[in-house]
Amino acid sequence: MKKIKKMILRQSLQNRIVHWGVAVSTFALIISGMFQMPVSKRYMINELPLMAWSGDYHISLIMHYVGAFSLIFFVSFHLFFHIARAEFDIFPKKGDGVKSLKIIKAMLFGGVEPKSEKYLPEQRLAYFFIGLVLLLLISTGLIKTAKNLAGWNLSEGLYFWSAQLHNLGMILIILGIIGHLAAFIFKANRPLLRAMFSGKVDANYIKERHSLWEEGVKMADKES
C-alpha cells in the first residue's frame, strides 16, 4: 500500500490569491503591451483563429489598463498587509547570495544544501528583483498615463525616460518570470510548485529542507 504523505500548509489562500492575481495581471500587461507595439499585425497574429481582437489598438489598450489596475491593487494590498503585520520573512537577508550559490551547486553537482527557513535564499532574491521591477513598471506606467490626462503638463524628457524605463522593465520582468519558472527544472524545487496551487507541502520535505522554519517544523512534527 502506498504511504500517504502528511501535508502542512505553507501558503495561505490569501497569499495564493495575491500571487496568482499578480501573475495574471502581469501576463495581461505583457501581452497587451506587445500588441500595442504593434506586434500582432506585424507578425499576423491577428489573422489566427480567435485572435482578430489582438490587432485592435483600443482593445489592447483597455486590456492594458485593466491589467494595470489589477496589478496595482494586488501589489498595494500585499505591501500594506505584510508591512502592517511586520511579516518580512520573504525579504532578502544577509548572505542570501552566497547561500543561493551553494544551493544551486548542491542541486547541480550533489552535496548538502545549507539549511533554509520558510523561503529559500534564491526565493527571497527573486521576490526582491521581481518586486522592484513591478514597482518600476507601475511608477513609469502612471507617469505615461498622466501625460494623457487633461491638466497634466509633463516635460518631454520625463516622458521619454519613463517610456524607456517602462520598456526596460518589461524586458526585465520577462527575464524574471523565465528565471522564476526555470527554478522548477530542479527536482528539489518541484514540491514548492505544487504549493503554489494547493498551498501545502510534504511535512518531511519541510523538516529536511526548511529546518530553520520553526513554525513549519512544529506543524510537521505534529503530522509525523
Side-chain angles (χ1 to χ4, degrees):
M1 183 180 293
K2 187 177 180 181
K3 185 178 180 180
I4 300 176
K5 291 183 178 181
K6 300 295 181 65
M7 309 297 287
I8 66 169
L9 186 66
R10 184 173 183 268
Q11 295 295 350
S12 66
L13 177 60
Q14 176 184 294
N15 284 351
R16 281 175 279 154
I17 290 175
V18 170
H19 173 272
W20 287 111
V22 170
V24 172
S25 301
T26 302
F27 278 116
L29 286 166
I30 292 173
I31 293 172
S32 58
M34 288 183 173
F35 286 165
Q36 289 178 55
M37 287 184 180
V39 171
S40 181
K41 290 183 178 179
R42 184 175 302 163
Y43 296 101
M44 296 183 290
I45 297 175
N46 60 313
E47 296 184 11
L48 295 174
L50 304 177
M51 291 300 295
W53 63 270
S54 65
D56 189 321
Y57 177 82
H58 298 288
I59 293 178
S60 60
L61 181 62
I62 293 173
M63 180 180 176
H64 205 70
Y65 280 142
V66 171
F69 177 82
S70 176
L71 178 65
I72 291 172
F73 169 78
F74 284 113
V75 169
S76 299
F77 175 83
H78 171 75
L79 291 175
F80 176 80
F81 182 83
H82 290 286
I83 290 175
R85 293 173 55 119
E87 295 177 347
F88 304 116
D89 48 353
I90 188 62
F91 279 59
K93 299 181 179 181
K94 184 178 180 180
D96 277 354
V98 174
K99 289 182 180 179
S100 294
L101 292 176
K102 289 181 179 178
I103 290 175
I104 293 172
K105 180 181 178 181
M107 288 190 294
L108 287 173
F109 306 107
V112 180
E113 293 184 8
K115 295 180 179 180
S116 295
E117 300 175 5
K118 180 178 181 179
Y119 297 101
L120 298 169
E122 58 266 38
Q123 284 183 302
R124 291 193 290 264
L125 294 176
Y127 169 87
F128 187 68
F129 173 79
I130 292 177
L132 284 181
V133 175
L134 289 177
L135 291 177
L136 173 66
L137 287 168
I138 289 172
S139 58
T140 53
L142 289 174
I143 293 174
K144 290 182 64 179
T145 302
K147 185 174 177 63
N148 298 325
L149 300 176
W152 288 77
N153 296 315
L154 302 180
S155 67
E156 291 298 325
L158 176 60
Y159 181 80
F160 173 81
W161 285 111
S162 295
Q164 300 309 308
L165 290 173
H166 198 72
N167 293 337
L168 174 63
M170 184 182 73
I171 295 173
L172 292 177
I173 200 63
I174 291 174
L175 293 176
I177 292 171
I178 292 173
H180 180 54
L181 296 177
F184 297 112
I185 293 174
F186 299 104
K187 186 177 180 180
N189 291 334
R190 290 173 194 168
L192 301 179
L193 176 61
R194 293 194 294 270
M196 293 168 65
F197 297 93
S198 68
K200 296 182 178 181
V201 180
D202 178 19
N204 290 327
Y205 179 86
I206 291 298
K207 293 167 69 174
E208 292 172 4
R209 202 174 191 215
H210 298 270
S211 57
L212 297 181
W213 180 26
E214 295 182 2
E215 183 183 352
V217 172
K218 288 179 182 178
M219 290 189 290
D221 286 336
K222 289 181 181 180
E223 293 293 336
S224 300

